[in-house]
Amino acid sequence: MFHSTFNASHSALGASVVDTPKEVFEASDVTLALLFDYASVRNTVLSDPPSLRGKRVVQMSTIAPKDNLALLQAVEEAGGEFIEAPVLGTRSVAQAGKLQVILTSFMRSER
């Protein structure tokens, strides 16, 4: 169930619709970003960056590794935790409910 969304089509699923992506981040402890490409993710997550202290950003778009590393750095600088979880599958696979998610995380050594 959605808590809040920037996509009005999710209101039918019980989500409250907000005006900006920043409001989604502020209202949620965990935010899923499943967008078309890196530019879309970057513009959504970083265009008006919220404080992410104590929040998790789960980046689910299939984008280049270097772009995920750039997002990792930006999210961590904003105080959040970054989780990479790209989704694999075509439209027909999605419609059949059989998408695959690759869940990853970045380990940091304590110094």
Side-chain angles (χ1 to χ4, degrees):
M1 177 178 202
F2 292 94
H3 178 271
S4 55
T5 182
F6 185 60
N7 183 333
S9 66
H10 294 144
S11 64
L13 300 173
S16 60
V17 179
V18 296
D19 294 324
T20 66
K22 182 177 183 177
E23 292 176 83
V24 173
F25 287 103
E26 291 170 346
S28 306
D29 292 331
V30 177
T31 300
L32 305 179
L34 180 54
L35 301 162
F36 178 70
D37 59 10
Y38 174 63
S40 300
V41 176
R42 184 189 66 235
N43 292 337
T44 300
V45 176
L46 305 177
S47 64
D48 184 16
S51 168
L52 296 175
R53 186 141 328 276
K55 310 252 181 178
R56 291 187 173 105
V57 176
V58 182
Q59 196 296 106
M60 300 184 76
S61 308
T62 304
I63 60 176
K66 69 178 179 56
D67 296 333
N68 271 314
L69 289 174
L71 289 169
L72 164 71
Q73 182 177 3
V75 168
E76 286 184 343
E77 286 174 1
E81 178 184 354
F82 180 84
I83 299 169
E84 181 183 355
V87 175
L88 304 174
T90 62
R91 181 179 295 228
S92 62
V93 172
Q95 290 169 335
K98 297 188 182 225
L99 288 174
Q100 296 180 17
V101 177
I102 301 172
L103 182 62
T104 66
S105 187
F106 294 90
M107 300 290 292
R108 299 281 186 220
S109 62
E110 297 295 323
R111 294 182 195 198

